[in-house]
Amino acid sequence: MIILRPAALADAEALAAMNKQLIEDEQHDNPMTMPQLKERMEGFLSGDYIALLCADEKDNTLGYALVHKAAQPAYLRQFFICREQRRKGVGRQFFWGLLEYLRTDTIDVEVMAWNEAGKAFWESLRCRPRSIYLRYERGQ
């Protein structure tokens, strides 16, 4: 069983640490340092975003989700399951609990184009492609 709870500003450092792992796991090109990630997370939490922590019955953190609460439909900006908790059904339970918590049946999710594991996870939850987001960078 998992428990969802809204994160507070006091959770910003823990959220930033998980966000750093997410960046590494996705092989994202975000160069932000831990202090920068913490500051950015504090900005998210003070603005139009809500972060939800996923925990077990012993209050061990299993992951988090960062959702743009004002977007229609809801926009899931970040979704992270701690490495040691993966492939145990935690992500699936967390996702369904997240939808219930948000009282929504529709949510937009972004996945890096090269993140095959991420795409497979979202597709297993019946998420379907809706658009293609492209980027041009001079010299690339």
Side-chain angles (χ1 to χ4, degrees):
M1 178 178 176
I2 63 165
I3 299 159
L4 275 61
R5 77 164 173 86
L9 278 175
D11 297 307
E13 190 166 340
L15 290 165
M18 288 186 282
N19 186 210
K20 182 73 168 165
Q21 288 181 43
L22 176 63
I23 291 166
E24 293 166 1
D25 293 347
E26 290 181 326
Q27 298 177 2
H28 198 286
D29 57 359
N30 182 335
M32 295 175 88
T33 64
M34 281 297 298
Q36 291 169 324
L37 290 170
K38 180 182 178 201
E39 183 178 341
R40 182 176 73 153
M41 193 62 73
E42 290 169 342
F44 285 143
L45 296 175
S46 298
D48 290 335
Y49 285 84
I50 182 172
L52 293 170
L53 291 166
C54 174
D56 63 15
E57 305 86 19
K58 296 178 183 175
D59 204 31
N60 297 309
T61 300
L62 307 176
Y64 81 99
L66 184 67
V67 179
H68 190 275
K69 60 187 177 189
Q72 287 300 321
Y75 171 62
L76 182 56
R77 183 181 179 112
Q78 298 170 4
F79 187 86
F80 176 78
I81 301 300
C82 295
R83 292 169 179 156
E84 64 278 0
Q85 297 300 322
R86 294 180 189 161
R87 312 227 31 101
K88 297 179 181 179
V90 173
R92 185 174 295 276
Q93 287 180 54
F94 187 19
F95 178 70
W96 299 127
L98 176 66
L99 291 180
E100 187 175 310
Y101 183 92
L102 296 171
R103 295 188 178 122
T104 188
D105 293 323
T106 307
I107 194 162
D108 285 338
V109 178
E110 251 183 86
V111 180
M112 301 309 291
W114 53 82
N115 185 352
E116 294 300 327
K119 284 193 279 188
F121 171 74
W122 292 112
E123 288 170 353
S124 79
L125 295 171
R126 300 188 314 267
C127 293
R128 298 293 171 248
R130 182 168 162 79
S131 67
I132 298 173
Y133 179 93
L134 303 172
R135 176 179 291 173
Y136 168 82
E137 288 185 68
R138 186 175 300 278
Q140 293 288 323

